[in-house]
Amino acid sequence: MGPDDLARIERRLRSEARRDGIAHFVIGIAVFRAGRLLVVRRAADDYRGGLYELPGGGVESGETFAECVARELLEETGLRVRAITEFLGGFDYATRTKSKVRKYSFVVEAEPGDVALAPREHDAFAWIDAGALDELPMAPDTRQTVSTLVDRV
């Protein structure tokens, strides 16, 4: 997926969100290696502590979705994005401080390298397939997204 494709997708998504009264965005990032999906576990003392999720986080003011994907993957896992290959869709949810947030997820190809977690945010990671999915604690919306992803491999 090229930069023009990503910019076109982002313009459409932001327009739809404005129409729906949503101004806060979060990005989820799916990284596969050897047919397994990377998930990270929230630190125990954090919001949703102990639950596994896709790497990702909030889009900062003035930041494009593609820039957020690259920044969040590097900050949370130490991995660098080689390419964003697919847009997976989105869903809305509420946080402790925001009544409506829209989360969009993307599949990326990452540069080779070892996972290095941001210790205040995540305390474990796993490369999983469909067989490992039921063993890990996850929020229902995350489990649905992750289930769809690992079933594709």
Side-chain angles (χ1 to χ4, degrees):
M1 183 177 298
D4 291 342
D5 297 322
L6 288 167
R8 192 171 26 264
I9 289 168
E10 181 169 348
R11 281 191 304 273
R12 178 178 54 86
L13 296 175
R14 285 184 182 271
S15 175
E16 291 169 358
R18 271 192 305 277
R19 177 198 67 210
D20 298 340
I22 297 172
H24 302 286
F25 304 105
V26 170
I27 299 296
I29 307 159
V31 179
F32 290 92
R33 280 203 183 147
R36 294 179 182 270
L37 175 68
L38 176 63
V39 292
V40 292
R41 186 175 66 192
R42 305 269 326 159
D45 60 349
D46 200 358
Y47 176 68
R48 289 189 168 187
L51 298 181
Y52 280 83
E53 63 186 4
L54 294 175
V59 178
E60 295 179 354
S61 178
E63 186 176 49
T64 68
F65 292 170
E67 290 167 341
C68 181
V69 167
R71 178 183 54 77
E72 286 289 348
L73 187 64
L74 183 61
E75 285 178 4
E76 293 194 355
T77 70
L79 299 175
R80 294 186 184 277
V81 172
R82 178 177 286 162
I84 298 173
T85 60
E86 188 177 351
F87 169 62
L88 297 172
F91 61 88
D92 298 343
Y93 67 99
T95 70
R96 291 182 293 190
T97 60
K98 296 176 182 80
S99 62
K100 208 169 202 187
V101 174
R102 187 159 289 170
K103 182 173 185 174
Y104 297 118
S105 294
F106 295 87
V107 176
V108 305
E109 180 183 328
E111 297 286 346
D114 295 330
V115 173
L117 298 176
R120 292 191 330 213
E121 289 191 55
H122 299 100
D123 60 9
F125 71 93
W127 294 95
I128 65 167
D129 58 17
L133 181 62
D134 291 336
E135 299 171 20
L136 301 177
M138 292 181 188
D141 53 2
T142 301
R143 185 172 301 283
Q144 181 178 356
T145 300
V146 170
S147 176
T148 301
L149 286 165
V150 295
D151 285 345
R152 296 169 36 171
V153 180

